[in-house]
Amino acid sequence: MSRFSDFLWGRPPACLLRQYVLAARRTDRPPQAESLPGKFFFCFFLLASTLAAAPADWIWSARYVITEDPQRRVIENGAVAVVGDHIVGVGTKSEIDAKFQAKQRLDRPGAILAPGLVNTHTHAAMSLFRGIADDLRLQDWLEKFIFPAEARNVSADFVRWGTRLGCLEMLLGGTTTFTDMYYFEDVAAEAAKEAGMRGVLGETIIGFPVADNKTPADALQYTERYLQRFRNDPLIVAAVAPHALYTNSDETLKASRALADKYGVPLVIHLSETKKENDDTEKARRMSPTKVLDSLGVFGGRTVAAHGVWLDDADLAILKARGVGVAHCPSSNMMLASGVAPVVKMLEMGLAVGLGPDGPAGSNNDFNLFEEMDLAAKLQKVTTGDPRALPASAALEMATIRGARVLGMEKEIGSLEAGKRADMILVRTDRPNAVPMYDPVSQMVYALKADDVRDVMVNGKVVVRDSVIQTLKQAEILQKAAEYRVKISASLK
Ligand SMILES: [Zn+2]
């Protein structure tokens, strides 16, 4: 065959024809294509179908594609085609193979292909404090351990290595977007970009001197420089993160909102995490934290509120009216005995509710969204006494498309649909915990583990391949974590 026909022969529609011709050749009769008109028709069809196949950079295929699209389609023997940073096609493998000719492909015929998971609340750099002080009350944990440990150890270097460690764990476990609040968040953003991970990353503003800023005014200026630097970044949404109502003045909270609005970015804040926080606010101001923040105008633009454990009906109505997204953190709420957020009610009201591991230092200790899905569903069941309260489908939505809504990014991420950013994961289903499989959605929530994630793509780039990180130096990060452990332990003596 000529080089041109050889080129055509390898193309997907041509593959079908090749099968036909080979089958015909196996019979004694010469195939119809051997006649002159037949040859002409054959070549015409071959050329037309080849020209019809659009170029793509990647095709990923799997036994099931969980799309989280508006119809919540689960496609058996499905595939997704990617061009550059976005998805161009989602369908059955044969449909996608007929429509697209990909430069590279990854076929996992036994796996589940799903949207990348969306973490709506965490503190990635605190991974270096993992396990520093467990089994304590929130206020004791914060005041006796975390705040002193942070005062003595947090630096730009700490945030760089801690965020690298956090991103490493998150990406290997299928999280493709994370929402962060910490200090030196510009450095966290550099680390996230290096990891190839998407992030909504908020610089923390707090009413006492911390590692990067000594006053809230300094923190606001620092944040503004950070917002300017990461404007229009393809992976990073720089955000403003006043820590909480109880750690900031009203003036700082109002200034934080104004700054977020000036740059059109989200504001990230902790809200009604503990009963004490609510009781103290009620006592001092005769209002719930939600009402106070609303009266200050803090919810006047895109807001992500973490926890929302102690919210009454009036609070929920305010959050709904203002379009505030809630980051539900079941592991953290359980570990710190903070309580159970009224998630079923939030979902019934149509609030945007996502999942966050929070932590990881004493308020969870890992960044595992598979675990958060599982616990979110089970926590509502045990609290309401109804196993139907929060089904697997709702838990998976919270970790994907609803989580994207919390961040105001539902048009870009959270589902596998043409036009959206190519953030997706392939999860293996050949381990003992994964067989047999009757329902892939249920399997994702109740049976599969973060460790089952095999391949991860963020923004069209493969960042995990065969469970190996492609973007970060894993051995070096683990070594640095061990070094920080020695330094941090010594600082607390
Ligand atoms: Zn938090």
Side-chain angles (χ1 to χ4, degrees), residues 121 123 270 307 358:
H121 180 68
H123 312 278
H270 292 100
H307 299 294
D358 198 13

